[in-house]
Amino acid sequence: DIQMTQSPPSLSASAGDRVTITCRASQSISGYLNWYQQKPGKAPKLLIYAASILQSGVPSRFSGSGSGTDFTLTISSLQPEDFGTYFCQQSHNTPFTFGPGTKVDVK
Amino acid sequence: QVQLQESGPGLVKPSETMSLTCTVSGGSMNSYYWSWIRQSPGKGLEWIGHIHFSGSTNYNPSLQSRVTISVDTSKNQFSLKLTSVTAADTAVYYCAHKVQSNWFEPWGQGTLVTVSS
C-alpha cells in the first residue's frame, strides 16, 4: 500500500495568513493526489483533485501543487471559515489511501 | 447535484454481520462508481471498496475477506456488508461517489457504527 504522511499535524494561524500543508507519498504517485476539507461532525469535502485542479465552487484562495511524492496545499489568505482538518488522498492505485490529516485552527 | 444518505443499525454485536445501505438521490447511478469509506480515531480515513453500476467491485485487500458491496440501481441504492465484526470495525461509515479518476465527491453525511456486546 502507498503510505501518505502530512505535516504539520496541526497549526494555528491568524486570518489573512498564508498557510501551507505538506503531503508526502511513500512512492511516486505522479499527479494523482487529492485534497479534502473536513469540518467537525461533517463528511470530507473535495477541494482539489489531480494535485492542482480546484473543484467547482471552492474559493480561489485554495491551491495545490506538486508531483511525484511531494505535494502542497496552500491557503493564500486564511479565512475564519477555513477551520477544520485537511486530508490528502492518493488516487494512483488501490487501495486508495489517505493522509492522517492536518488540523487548522484560525486564531 | 447527487446526494447520498447512509442508513443502518448503529450498534452491532461482535462476530455478527454489519449491513449498511446508501441511497442516492438527485441523479442516476448509471455510469458511475460508488464507494464506502470509514473513519475511526485509530485508523483515520480508510477506503473499504467500490462498485460500478454494472456490478464490478474492487475491495481493500485488508478487508476483502469480510466485505461485500452490492448495488440495486432500480432502487438507487448500494450496500455494504461486513462480516465477523470486532471492536476495530467501530467507525463512522461514509458512502461516496467516486469518479473514474478516483477521487470522492460528494459524500454522505456518515453513520456511526459501534461494535459492542
Side-chain angles (χ1 to χ4, degrees), chain B residues 14-41:
Chain B
S15 79
E16 293 190 344
T17 296
M18 178 189 80
S19 296
L20 296 175
T21 296
C22 182
T23 300
V24 179
S25 60
S28 170
M29 293 189 72
N30 292 343
S31 302
Y32 291 112
Y33 295 83
W34 306 93
S35 297
W36 287 98
I37 297 163
R38 68 183 184 180
Q39 185 173 31
S40 62

Side-chain angles (χ1 to χ4, degrees), chain A residues 1 32 34 36 38 41-46 49-50 55 87 89 91 94-96 98, chain B residues 37 39 45-47 50 58-61 94 98 101-105 107-110:
Chain A
D1 298 4
Y32 296 100
N34 313 303
Y36 301 83
Q38 184 178 34
K42 301 292 187 182
K45 170 190 159 186
L46 181 69
Y49 60 90
Q55 170 72 348
F87 296 93
Q89 174 240 329
S91 49
T94 59
F96 306 121
F98 294 82
Chain B
I37 297 163
Q39 185 173 31
L45 286 161
E46 182 178 28
W47 171 75
H50 64 249
N58 194 325
Y59 299 134
N60 191 323
Y94 295 100
K98 184 191 83 67
S101 300
N102 303 325
W103 55 82
F104 305 100
E105 181 70 13
W107 300 49
Q109 66 184 27

Side-chain angles (χ1 to χ4, degrees), chain A:
Chain A
D1 298 4
I2 297 174
Q3 307 303 315
M4 307 300 293
T5 57
Q6 287 182 238
S7 62
S10 65
L11 66 91
S12 182
S14 299
D17 284 353
R18 182 181 182 88
V19 168
T20 298
I21 298 169
T22 297
C23 176
R24 178 165 288 175
S26 61
Q27 65 187 70
S28 177
I29 57 172
S30 186
Y32 296 100
L33 191 282
N34 313 303
W35 289 98
Y36 301 83
Q37 177 195 59
Q38 184 178 34
K39 298 204 171 180
K42 301 292 187 182
K45 170 190 159 186
L46 181 69
L47 295 177
I48 288 170
Y49 60 90
S52 62
I53 303 175
L54 205 62
Q55 170 72 348
S56 175
V58 174
S60 59
R61 62 181 180 273
F62 291 93
S63 64
S65 65
S67 67
T69 60
D70 295 318
F71 301 85
T72 58
L73 172 70
T74 299
I75 308 173
S76 61
S77 177
L78 191 68
Q79 298 300 302
E81 61 267 31
D82 297 336
F83 73 93
T85 303
Y86 292 79
F87 296 93
C88 58
Q89 174 240 329
Q90 65 83 13
S91 49
H92 185 260
N93 54 23
T94 59
F96 306 121
T97 47
F98 294 82
T102 294
K103 187 175 181 180
V104 173
D105 172 59
V106 183
K107 294 177 187 173

